[in-house]
Amino acid sequence: MAKIRQLVPELAEVARSELNEDEANRDALIVALRTWIDEQNYLVARTEDQFLVAFLRFCQWDLEEAKKRVLFFYNYKSKERSLLKCRSVDDKVLELARSGIFATLPNPIGPGGPRIHYTRMGHIETSKHSVSDIFRFHAFRSEIEINTDDNWNIAGVVELIDFTKIPYSLLLQFDPSLFKRMNAFLEHGLPTSLVATHIVNASRETQFVLTIIRNVMKQKELLHIHPNLESLYKAIGKEYLPAELGGNNGSLNEAITRYEMQLNSFTNYFKDEERFGVDEKLRAASEKEQRPTLVPGSANEDATFRKLTFD
């Protein structure tokens, strides 16, 4: 029997009705994904039940899609070492954890609902924190959530972003090509879904810019710009917000303390991460050996040669 956490009834129902989870074939699919990983000589990946089930759930138990996502997850971390930098829990990561910029709120939006992340943009010190530092912090947090947070994995995540006193110098760091590289990991590598992004305390000028951005987004309905806290209360529910925003979902100091403890508990996990990844030379050789003989111009020619990338 698979060694995974038991879900609360409400979340188990979401997994069953929305993600096609079926206890009858669950264990067999976890074994099948692990077996596939073990058979790939170019891929060194984690194969614990709890880790693998996160990818299978996100992919609605489609084994082939789960394989692609696991491969992308490790391929990205191998190719983007310069962006992710050291995988150890170092002083930079701990400093960001203690900064009060980021908080994971203790209660999701209902037992079967999404997790809530709260970000205070005004606490970012651009003299200390670069955009890539912030992305690296998100990568650490996400990997912890893969292993610990079933709501995040099954029901998704709501991002609550407070724009109070956002430093203009942070906006100057925006680089479209860098954003594209970072977004690839969030969109194609992580086993979670963004349910919504709620913006609060943005200046009129910032609201205007955000409205323009929303108008060109593919999923406009995911971005909500609130003119005041009352609007936010109606959208999320006051009881799910942190005390600092008038809610009852814990305080930021509690969230900071809790997350630092969690980071430290994963110290050995992240040290071990250095050995995982994809060897592109072995992968290319393996794919060449497995490549079937194709008739030029045949329907499956392009698909056979297509590779996972994040260009």
Side-chain angles (χ1 to χ4, degrees):
M1 187 172 180
K3 296 179 181 179
I4 59 176
R5 285 182 298 276
Q6 184 175 356
L7 303 176
V8 298
E10 296 88 345
L11 198 56
E13 176 57 25
V14 174
R16 185 195 66 79
S17 62
E18 298 183 18
L19 305 183
N20 303 321
E21 186 154 333
D22 183 354
E23 290 188 9
N25 61 10
R26 182 181 64 194
D27 290 8
L29 285 168
I30 293 173
V31 170
L33 182 55
R34 179 184 298 111
T35 300
W36 175 81
I37 290 171
D38 290 340
E39 289 174 348
Q40 311 312 307
N41 67 332
Y42 56 83
L43 172 63
V44 182
R46 293 189 179 276
T47 56
E48 298 91 339
D49 291 346
Q50 191 68 61
F51 183 85
L52 297 182
V53 79
F55 287 86
L56 285 162
R57 280 172 170 160
F58 178 82
C59 296
Q60 299 184 13
W61 295 91
D62 183 321
L63 180 60
E64 295 307 312
E65 289 301 314
K67 290 177 184 178
K68 292 177 184 177
R69 204 161 192 91
V70 169
L71 181 55
F72 189 98
F73 181 82
Y74 283 107
N75 193 33
Y76 185 95
K77 292 203 291 185
S78 294
K79 286 189 172 182
E80 291 287 8
R81 289 188 182 275
S82 61
L83 187 57
L84 292 169
K85 302 175 185 176
C86 173
R87 297 292 291 150
S88 298
V89 179
D90 56 19
D91 290 341
K92 177 68 73 172
V93 174
L94 288 171
E95 180 189 11
L96 280 167
R98 296 165 182 158
S99 66
I101 300 170
F102 308 103
T104 300
L105 303 187
N107 300 319
I109 303 178
R115 179 64 58 196
I116 306 173
H117 288 165
Y118 178 39
T119 302
R120 296 192 292 179
M121 301 295 284
H123 282 63
I124 296 174
E125 297 182 51
T126 53
S127 61
K128 295 181 179 179
H129 314 131
S130 68
V131 171
S132 59
D133 289 333
I134 293 168
F135 171 71
R136 180 170 174 253
F137 177 90
H138 277 290
F140 272 84
R141 179 168 66 176
S142 297
E143 194 146 358
I144 290 174
E145 287 169 320
I146 289 173
N147 290 278
T148 64
D149 195 337
D150 296 317
N151 287 79
W152 177 88
N153 174 223
I154 294 170
V157 61
V158 168
E159 297 288 349
L160 172 57
I161 305 178
D162 188 339
F163 269 67
T164 302
K165 296 181 180 179
I166 179 174
Y168 181 69
S169 53
L170 179 67
L171 301 178
L172 295 178
Q173 290 188 28
F174 179 76
D175 178 344
S177 62
L178 180 61
F179 177 81
K180 184 178 180 181
R181 287 166 60 197
M182 295 187 297
N183 189 62
F185 187 57
L186 306 178
E187 184 175 351
H188 302 295
L190 297 181
T192 191
S193 298
L194 177 63
V195 175
T197 297
H198 293 273
I199 307 293
V200 68
N201 293 329
S203 66
R204 289 184 179 180
E205 294 79 9
T206 303
Q207 288 185 41
F208 177 75
V209 173
L210 289 170
T211 300
I212 294 174
I213 292 173
R214 182 172 58 187
N215 288 338
V216 299
M217 289 174 61
K218 291 182 180 179
Q219 294 177 293
K220 298 178 177 62
E221 70 278 6
L222 296 185
L223 180 59
H224 306 271
I225 306 166
H226 299 281
N228 50 53
L229 286 178
E230 289 301 323
S231 172
L232 181 64
Y233 295 161
K234 291 178 182 178
I236 294 182
K238 190 174 180 179
E239 67 271 25
Y240 297 120
L241 299 176
E244 288 76 5
L245 290 179
N248 304 310
N249 200 358
S251 71
L252 291 181
N253 284 338
E254 291 168 347
I256 291 166
T257 300
R258 184 170 56 250
Y259 185 67
E260 184 176 351
M261 291 176 60
Q262 199 172 40
L263 259 179
N264 285 323
S265 73
F266 270 75
T267 297
N268 291 332
Y269 177 99
F270 284 114
K271 283 182 179 178
D272 199 31
E273 273 296 292
E274 294 293 340
R275 68 186 182 90
F276 296 110
V278 173
D279 186 318
E280 276 299 315
K281 290 183 180 179
L282 286 177
R283 181 184 176 189
S286 176
E287 290 180 350
K288 185 176 181 180
E289 289 176 3
Q290 296 175 19
R291 187 178 297 164
T293 302
L294 299 177
V295 177
S298 61
N300 65 337
E301 184 178 14
D302 288 341
T304 303
F305 290 96
R306 191 178 300 123
K307 295 178 66 177
L308 284 170
T309 65
F310 42 89
D311 296 333

